[in-house]
Amino acid sequence: LNLMKLCGSLAAEGKAVTAVLHDIPLALKYADDIIVLSGGKAVASGTASQVYKSGILNAVFNADIKEAASESGIIYYCQ
């Protein structure tokens, strides 16, 4: 998580940050924009909220991804 905070700090300074994450909830929490790949092709892109709400993550990763409100904001988790 320290690495994600560092990436956030760099982005806040106006620097471009690119990361490849296989931890879907972590990507949804920290990314400003997400590109979803399947079979080597981009199948969706947008903000974390847009990509989550589209349902594409559940379809591509065969996962039941949920969101919930917490004291620190929206959290995402896999069931």
Side-chain angles (χ1 to χ4, degrees):
L1 294 179
N2 288 338
L3 178 59
M4 299 309 293
K5 289 179 184 178
L6 173 62
C7 290
S9 296
L10 293 170
E13 293 174 7
K15 296 183 173 136
V17 177
T18 303
V20 176
L21 301 173
H22 292 257
D23 183 324
I24 299 165
L26 191 68
L28 290 168
K29 179 177 179 178
Y30 287 100
D32 292 325
D33 296 294
I34 294 177
I35 299 172
V36 180
L37 301 176
S38 180
K41 296 181 181 182
V43 295
S45 65
T47 66
S49 179
Q50 290 169 333
V51 170
Y52 169 76
K53 289 176 181 172
S54 76
I56 193 72
L57 295 170
N58 292 337
V60 168
F61 297 105
N62 194 28
D64 188 15
I65 302 164
K66 303 286 186 190
E67 73 175 352
S70 76
E71 292 178 7
S72 62
I74 300 294
I75 59 168
Y76 298 92
Y77 61 95
C78 298
Q79 281 192 316

